[in-house]
Amino acid sequence: MRIHHLNCASFCPYGGHLMDGMTPGIGPARLVCHTLLIETEKGLVLIDTGLGLNDVHKPQERITSFFHKLVRPLLKEEETAHYQIKALGFKPEDVRHIILTHLDFDHAGGIDDFPNAKVHVMNAEKEAAKNRNTFLSKNRYSPSQLTTMKHWNTYYPEGERWFGFQAVRDLEDLPPEILLVPLIGHTEGHAGVAIHTDQGWLLHAGDAYFYRGEMDSTYHCTPGLRAYQKMVEANRPMRLMNQQRLRHLAATHSHDCTIFCAHDAIEYLSLKEGLQRNLLSTDYQLPFDSNDLAGLGLS
């Protein structure tokens, strides 16, 4: 399998270094939506979609005012998975499967750009998105993003465990190297996606954490992202427990498992540039200059 790391949405919430840990001052911070495009024998597999074309062109219909003002998406067509997949020389219809860590608007906005793809998600997450019975769920889940899809495959935790975590193996019509790993907390059906590669495991942890320092054994998170996670959590005890379990996994299996989240720009750039290192140290000196960050559209 060949894996492409894509940023499929950029966000500029106010808070600067108090939010992303690197931007001077308290102006717009730099967050991404880290997605994966995987070339497999069964076609292209997309892990999360970021924002889609309809989100960019009709944001008022797809993103609530609450989150639009809070996270301040840049809404750039060239950042959509649809655009980037074509730029890589593929066709959108080559995307046969979409695996979603969860159904928040910024992770599932692009699914209707690939109407023939099969969507894979935990059953609890699809039920939570359908019910939308709280202020938070009414803002985080966008029916206009989700109701057009025809091919849903939903799953329950079962079967052989993965590094001690519950796991869903043998996803329908997908290679056995790709697993769903339930990580409840941020949402009721949140999951990570684990991919076995020649260099070991990659775990896309979605929004199980937001800042690279949260995977450090000493734990560090910026005040802004710590507050944001509390504000949008669905199950605080489970979120904190699963973060602790991920920290333990990072500490004990750094040689064969690389963990990353959806929104940390430094994790994204490190993996995109192919740096083979453990993404833990909060005082790691960045091998990127302003041109790299400009490539995110956020410098």
Side-chain angles (χ1 to χ4, degrees), residues 160-167 181-183 203 242 245-246 249:
E160 181 184 353
R161 289 184 170 251
W162 179 83
F163 290 108
F165 289 81
Q166 289 184 311
V181 180
L183 295 171
L203 177 64
N242 279 321
R245 296 175 73 205
L246 288 174
L249 176 63

Side-chain angles (χ1 to χ4, degrees), residues 227-243:
Y228 182 79
Q229 290 182 80
K230 290 180 181 179
M231 182 177 68
V232 299
E233 66 192 1
N235 187 324
R236 180 173 175 77
M238 289 296 294
R239 180 177 70 84
L240 295 179
M241 183 188 75
N242 279 321
Q243 275 195 5

Side-chain angles (χ1 to χ4, degrees), residues 12-295:
C12 304
Y14 288 114
H17 71 285
L18 298 176
M19 186 67 71
D20 63 19
M22 62 180 177
T23 301
I26 56 172
R30 306 164 179 177
L31 303 178
V32 300
C33 189
H34 190 164
T35 72
L36 301 178
L37 180 69
I38 308 176
E39 299 179 41
T40 78
E41 294 180 353
K42 300 186 181 238
L44 298 181
V45 178
L46 192 57
I47 311 297
D48 281 352
T49 70
L51 298 179
L53 292 172
N54 286 325
D55 300 312
V56 171
H57 298 308
K58 297 181 286 187
Q60 68 280 359
E61 299 177 11
R62 312 263 294 188
I63 305 170
T64 64
S65 175
F66 174 78
F67 273 113
H68 197 282
K69 293 176 181 177
L70 184 65
V71 300
R72 303 179 70 243
L74 286 185
L75 301 176
K76 299 169 69 173
E77 184 173 317
E78 59 267 32
E79 285 190 343
T80 64
H82 185 277
Y83 184 100
Q84 294 188 64
I85 285 168
K86 291 201 296 183
L88 287 169
F90 301 109
K91 299 176 182 178
E93 52 266 33
D94 293 334
V95 176
R96 305 293 176 82
H97 299 274
I98 299 172
I99 307 175
L100 297 171
T101 60
H102 59 302
L103 294 173
D104 277 1
F105 74 95
D106 56 327
H107 291 256
I111 61 175
D112 53 3
D113 292 335
F114 310 98
N116 296 319
K118 292 182 179 180
V119 178
H120 305 261
V121 69
M122 297 301 295
N123 184 74
E125 185 68 5
K126 193 165 186 291
E127 289 299 308
K130 181 173 68 175
N131 292 331
R132 299 179 69 245
N133 53 10
T134 66
F135 172 82
L136 180 58
S137 62
K138 288 176 182 177
N139 279 274
R140 76 186 324 158
Y141 300 124
S142 174
S144 59
Q145 292 177 335
L146 305 177
T147 54
T148 60
M149 289 304 295
K150 304 173 183 176
H151 312 293
W152 289 88
N153 288 20
T154 59
Y155 302 92
Y156 298 88
E158 60 184 0
E160 181 184 353
R161 289 184 170 251
W162 179 83
F163 290 108
F165 289 81
Q166 289 184 311
V168 181
R169 298 173 181 267
D170 300 321
L171 302 180
E172 187 171 335
D173 295 328
L174 282 163
E177 293 85 1
I178 303 177
L179 317 176
L180 272 170
V181 180
L183 295 171
I184 297 168
H186 177 69
T187 65
E188 292 293 352
H190 186 279
V193 182
I195 306 104
H196 193 244
T197 74
D198 292 339
Q199 290 77 43
W201 287 94
L202 282 178
L203 177 64
H204 189 317
D207 286 359
Y209 71 98
F210 275 68
Y211 185 70
R212 55 197 174 276
E214 294 182 89
M215 290 297 99
D216 195 320
S217 59
T218 59
Y219 178 81
H220 172 67
C221 185
T222 60
L225 288 179
R226 189 164 60 245
Y228 182 79
Q229 290 182 80
K230 290 180 181 179
M231 182 177 68
V232 299
E233 66 192 1
N235 187 324
R236 180 173 175 77
M238 289 296 294
R239 180 177 70 84
L240 295 179
M241 183 188 75
N242 279 321
Q243 275 195 5
Q244 179 59 42
R245 296 175 73 205
L246 288 174
R247 274 192 290 278
H248 178 73
L249 176 63
T252 57
H253 289 276
S254 61
H255 62 289
D256 59 356
C257 184
T258 297
I259 306 169
F260 60 96
C261 68
H263 297 300
D264 190 296
I266 299 308
E267 287 186 340
Y268 164 70
L269 284 170
S270 296
L271 288 166
K272 183 177 175 63
E273 295 298 317
L275 300 178
Q276 298 301 311
R277 68 173 190 85
N278 184 262
L279 297 169
L280 295 181
S281 176
T282 56
D283 44 345
Y284 177 77
Q285 295 301 306
L286 307 181
F288 313 113
D289 58 24
S290 59
N291 290 328
D292 294 301
L293 293 172

